[in-house]
């Protein structure tokens, strides 16, 4: 389902509308197939064909988008990877968690993940692979928040706008369950969720709370079974690391 947080805006607003429309196109390029047609982007964005074409040309010149020379379709560009790398390198959260991930990995001997909530989705921003990561290695992961343990913890604790963004990315049946469960997820010290995708791990997740009481991330570990009795001990270990990192974030 498309992210509906940002629609097309008139461009005659001192450049603000142009920037927002360009960002909207980048969001659309991040959804669906890797390369998309100009006409489809115009229809989905609500912008005119000439406007979309002009914005895409600017994005291509900045390497924020690319155009396939054979199909003439557009996709996300490599400059986004460089900017993301700079962003993550400066992110206090990863610096706060860093000292605790290796000892935690040695203790649990499984894959660890760090994720944040962005526009209704969880973005996995760091990971430490366990001794047996399985045949599938998904290095870059973005999933609807409510489909993951960490995403449920973060979305339920977020404000109503962020919660609605997460709700918009799931179907009606899951929305009804999520609405009933929000208060439980918001107060839960940990959750375990088995994903529908069989190539993904079941995860036990805990929130990382900063000094202001905000859930700024989730820390999770891959486990075999969402209902295993051992998951409580895994969650306890994750929570110790999350609390230690949260105390560090209090001083950032």
């Amino acid at each position: 389902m498309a992210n509906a947080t940002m629609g097309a805006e008139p461009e005659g607003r001192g450049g603000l509308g142009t920037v927002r429309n360009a960002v909207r196109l980048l969001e659309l390029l991040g959804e669906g197939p890797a390369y998309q047609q100009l006409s489809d982007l115009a229809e989905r964005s609500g912008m005119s064909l000439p406007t979309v074409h002009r914005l895409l040309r600017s994005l291509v010149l900045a390497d924020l988008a690319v155009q396939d020379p054979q199909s003439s379709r557009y996709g996300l560009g490599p400059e986004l990877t460089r900017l993301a790398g700079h962003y993550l390198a400066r992110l206090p959260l990863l610096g706060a968690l860093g000292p605790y991930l290796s000892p935690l990995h040695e203790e649990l001997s499984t894959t660890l993940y760090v994720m944040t909530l962005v526009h209704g989705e969880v973005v996995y921003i760091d990971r430490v692979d366990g001794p047996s990561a399985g045949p599938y290695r998904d290095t870059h992961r973005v999933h609807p928040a409510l489909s993951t343990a960490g995403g449920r913890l973060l979305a339920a604790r977020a404000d109503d706008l962020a919660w609605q963004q997460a709700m918009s990315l799931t179907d009606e049946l899951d929305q009804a369950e999520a609405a009933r469960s929000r208060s439980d997820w918001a107060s839960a010290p940990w959750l375990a969720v088995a994903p529908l995708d069989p190539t993904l791990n079941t995860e036990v997740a805990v929130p990382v709370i900063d000094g202001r009481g905000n859930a700024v991330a989730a820390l999770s570990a891959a486990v075999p079974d969402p209902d295993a009795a051992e998951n409580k001990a895994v969650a306890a270990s994750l929570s110790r690391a999350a609390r230690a990192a949260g105390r560090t974030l209090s001083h950032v």
Side-chain angles (χ1 to χ4, degrees):
M1 186 180 298
N3 188 333
T5 62
M6 186 181 301
E9 294 194 12
E11 296 189 55
R13 299 179 56 190
L16 180 59
T18 298
V19 171
R20 288 183 174 173
N21 288 342
V23 170
R24 178 58 181 149
L25 288 178
L26 290 174
E27 288 184 339
L28 292 174
L29 288 173
E31 302 168 359
Y35 290 92
Q36 303 181 40
Q37 291 182 342
L38 175 66
S39 57
D40 290 341
L41 291 167
E43 180 179 354
R44 291 165 62 204
S45 67
M47 292 180 259
S48 68
L49 204 64
T51 295
V52 172
H53 184 245
R54 181 179 59 77
L55 289 172
L56 286 172
R57 286 179 58 191
S58 296
L59 292 172
V60 168
L61 288 174
D63 283 335
L64 295 169
V66 293
Q67 185 177 25
D68 180 70
Q70 295 184 336
S71 66
S72 295
R73 297 186 178 192
Y74 293 89
L76 294 175
E79 178 66 5
L80 293 168
T81 304
R82 188 180 72 88
L83 292 175
H86 282 301
Y87 170 74
L88 292 175
R90 293 166 170 80
L91 193 62
L93 169 67
L94 293 183
L97 279 169
Y100 306 102
L101 293 183
S102 292
L104 187 62
H105 176 258
E106 292 179 4
E107 176 189 350
L108 297 179
S109 190
T110 189
T111 301
L112 305 175
Y113 306 94
V114 180
M115 67 198 79
T116 57
L117 180 68
V118 183
H119 290 174
E121 297 179 307
V122 282
V123 182
Y124 286 67
I125 60 174
D126 200 4
R127 64 182 286 158
V128 182
D129 282 325
S132 177
Y136 304 99
R137 191 179 189 281
D138 47 328
T139 55
H140 307 292
R141 292 175 59 182
V142 180
H143 294 294
L146 301 184
S147 68
T148 69
R152 291 178 183 182
L153 291 171
L154 294 176
R157 286 168 165 80
D159 60 28
D160 287 341
L161 175 59
W163 172 255
Q164 289 304 321
Q165 289 174 335
M167 289 280 276
S168 72
L169 297 177
T170 189
D171 59 38
E172 291 185 5
L173 288 177
D174 290 336
Q175 285 180 5
E177 178 187 355
R180 292 191 298 268
S181 303
R182 183 183 182 183
S183 61
D184 292 334
W185 295 344
S187 60
W190 62 277
L191 288 175
V193 172
L196 294 176
D197 187 341
T199 68
L200 300 179
N201 291 314
T202 294
E203 293 177 35
V204 170
V206 303
V208 179
I209 309 296
D210 68 8
R212 298 179 179 179
N214 298 316
V216 295
L219 176 62
S220 71
V223 295
D225 182 353
D227 300 316
E230 294 82 0
N231 290 347
K232 185 175 181 179
V234 172
S237 296
L238 292 171
S239 294
R240 285 193 293 270
R243 285 194 299 269
R247 286 193 294 269
T248 302
L249 288 171
S250 302
H251 304 293
V252 174

